[in-house]
Amino acid sequence: MNTSTLSSRGTLLASALGLVIVLLDVSVVNVALDAVRHQFATDVSGLQWVINAYTLVFAALLLTSGALGDRLGAWRVFLVGFVVFTLASAACGWSSSLPALIAARLLQGLGAALLVPNSLAMLQHAFPDREQRNRAVGWWGGMGAVSLAAGPVLGGLLVTHLGWRSIFLINLPIGLLGICLTLRHAARVAGHQRTIDWAGQAAAILALAALTWALTEAARLGWTHVRVLGSATLAFIALAVFIGIESRIRAPMLPLELFRRPTFVIASAAGVVVNFAYYGLIFVFSLFFQIQQHLSPQMTGLAFLPMTVVLIAVNVLAGRLIARVGPRVLMVLGLLLAASGYLLLMPVSIGGSYGYLVLPMLMSASGIALMVPTMTNITLSSVDASRAGVASGVLNSARQVGGMLGVAVFGYLVRDTAPTPFMHGMHLSIGLAVVLLLGGSVLCWRGIRPDRINA
């Protein structure tokens, strides 16, 4: 094996490890919610912040991170991301209070945002041959999917046998290995001049943070509280300022002309809906299994196993079906399948058998797995090749925002953990997910047209 091949493979492993720890922390924390609740004597709002602090910064900084990598060099920004994520993971594991844990999760989100887009840029430099690059990206995505699927099971085992802090400390050896591989193998490609939209970035962070605060704290303070109303108002003002900035500057972080393409808009909206339903209900079912059914973290992780395993298998299948049945059919089928699976979960009760949940969980996860690669394909096909990176970043940001809002809204509905109000809120959450997914299926059927793809 020559030096060039070794460096390429080392870069691939470093890039994949960056994605692995990012996606691992998306899914692993849910099975530790009850342990964190008891450790810090917190409520559902506190648990929402543990989840959403990470997602908030991750979603808000994804687009700027890619531009920063272009300017400073992807390997530099990726390396900083690994260092930040690893140190933040240590801070999470050693947190002595809930505010300290939330602050460390915010730093983890920063590290995640620096890692993901620049890991792909590193692969582009390491594999100039298109066929080799496609295979490398396939391995990159496959390792990420495995980590996302393994998160709940691994988290359950760690929390049960080593305590909740171990789900963060497990990132330390992965992070150190990733840092070493990056320093040893990543190509030192110089950056190039690119304007960073700092004003737009600041407005986007303010809008998302204010909206998240309003939705999360409404569970504690109520919707009519002056701070909740003030935060919601601030979110709308910041959003208006953000749109104004993006419409006027020469190099915006979010080119608004993308939203003149109906197919791109529909794919982004579908991304919001899918993650809203999926991550919101993962949060709710994590609380249901641990607080209402009193399952251990290990058993909670195993309870999610049918969903996580099918995500990998159907993701692979979806890539092969797109060309055969078309993206519109696959999107609508996925949305309807997920809606049907969640609809079958409506009769769930505290004393019910777990066996009844397996088929609906398989159906809902299969539907979502059909949609994720399909909406990515639609997004990239609906814009010019020169805008593919930005369009992909917008879709990923939209999905992260959807997941954040899902946890915030559904967390509000199950904020009272007493059995009767919790189950009422859980049924409302499932019903809302079904309605949104059905609405998304109608939107995709009416709005996705073959003549609007490959524009």
Side-chain angles (χ1 to χ4, degrees), residues 60-86:
L61 296 179
L62 265 175
L63 292 176
T64 294
S65 172
L68 203 60
D70 289 343
R71 182 168 183 171
L72 301 178
W75 72 275
R76 286 193 182 91
V77 179
F78 182 83
L79 183 63
V80 171
F82 244 135
V83 171
V84 170
F85 196 98
T86 304

Side-chain angles (χ1 to χ4, degrees), residues 29 31 70 73 82 89 98 107 109 139 142 145 153 178 243-244 249 308 314 323 406 414 416 427 447:
V29 179
V31 296
D70 289 343
F82 244 135
S89 297
L98 186 65
L107 283 176
W139 279 104
V153 178
I243 293 172
I249 67 172
T308 53
V314 179
V414 298
D416 189 338
H427 291 140

Side-chain angles (χ1 to χ4, degrees), residues 22 57 78 80-82 84-85 106-116:
V22 168
V57 181
F78 182 83
V80 171
F82 244 135
V84 170
F85 196 98
L106 288 168
L107 283 176
Q108 271 194 316
L110 170 59
L114 295 175
L115 283 168
V116 173

Side-chain angles (χ1 to χ4, degrees), residues 63-414:
L63 292 176
T64 294
S65 172
L68 203 60
D70 289 343
R71 182 168 183 171
L72 301 178
W75 72 275
R76 286 193 182 91
V77 179
F78 182 83
L79 183 63
V80 171
F82 244 135
V83 171
V84 170
F85 196 98
T86 304
L87 293 175
S89 297
C92 287
W94 296 325
S95 296
S96 58
S97 66
L98 186 65
L101 176 59
I102 293 170
R105 289 284 285 168
L106 288 168
L107 283 176
Q108 271 194 316
L110 170 59
L114 295 175
L115 283 168
V116 173
N118 291 293
S119 65
L120 279 173
M122 282 172 49
L123 289 183
Q124 187 174 16
H125 297 311
F127 296 91
D129 179 77
R130 182 175 180 178
E131 185 176 342
Q132 290 183 343
R133 184 166 63 247
N134 288 341
R135 285 200 296 267
V137 172
W139 279 104
W140 176 85
M143 289 181 68
V146 169
S147 69
L148 186 63
V153 178
L154 175 63
L157 289 169
L158 289 172
V159 175
T160 299
H161 298 290
L162 298 175
W164 68 266
R165 298 178 187 276
S166 62
I167 65 171
F168 299 111
L169 298 178
I170 193 67
N171 292 331
L172 301 188
I174 301 174
L176 291 173
L177 177 59
I179 291 168
C180 292
L181 287 169
T182 304
L183 288 171
R184 183 175 179 83
H185 296 294
R188 271 42 171 189
V189 178
H192 55 81
Q193 288 299 319
R194 181 171 176 179
T195 303
I196 306 295
D197 180 12
W198 295 117
Q201 179 64 84
I205 292 174
L206 182 59
L208 286 175
L211 179 60
T212 305
W213 197 93
L215 291 172
T216 303
E217 293 303 311
R220 282 197 185 111
L221 305 174
W223 284 104
T224 58
H225 195 281
V226 63
R227 281 188 285 175
V228 173
L229 292 175
S231 186
T233 302
L234 178 60
F236 283 113
I237 293 172
L239 177 61
V241 171
F242 173 73
I243 293 172
I245 292 171
E246 300 307 284
S247 64
R248 287 175 172 81
I249 67 172
R250 181 178 298 177
M253 63 178 283
L254 179 60
L256 296 181
E257 60 264 25
L258 288 176
F259 294 95
R260 296 172 187 161
R261 298 175 179 265
T263 305
F264 174 81
V265 174
I266 290 170
S268 299
V272 173
V273 168
V274 166
N275 276 39
F276 184 97
Y278 181 71
Y279 287 112
L281 288 180
I282 288 289
F283 179 78
V284 170
F285 270 88
S286 296
L287 297 178
F288 170 72
F289 288 137
Q290 294 172 77
I291 297 176
Q292 304 302 330
Q293 293 198 322
H294 306 292
L295 297 185
S296 68
Q298 181 173 329
M299 292 305 298
T300 299
L302 292 173
F304 285 118
L305 193 59
M307 294 186 74
T308 53
V309 168
V310 80
L311 278 171
I312 300 175
V314 179
N315 248 298
V316 175
L317 178 64
R320 299 177 180 178
L321 288 176
I322 292 174
R324 295 185 181 182
V325 303
R328 180 171 75 156
V329 172
L330 215 54
M331 284 294 292
V332 172
L333 177 62
L335 286 159
L336 291 177
L337 189 58
S340 300
Y342 286 134
L343 187 62
L344 290 176
L345 289 171
M346 283 294 286
V348 65
S349 63
I350 294 176
S353 169
Y354 172 75
Y356 172 80
L357 303 179
V358 174
L359 179 60
M361 290 171 73
L362 287 172
M363 290 174 63
S364 58
S366 296
I368 287 166
L370 283 176
M371 286 180 282
V372 171
T374 308
M375 71 176 68
T376 303
N377 178 277
I378 291 171
T379 298
L380 297 179
S381 300
S382 65
V383 300
D384 298 329
S386 62
R387 294 295 183 112
V390 175
S392 177
V394 172
L395 175 63
N396 286 323
S397 295
R399 291 181 58 201
Q400 293 301 321
V401 170
M404 180 180 68
L405 295 178
V407 171
V409 173
F410 291 168
Y412 172 79
L413 294 175
V414 298

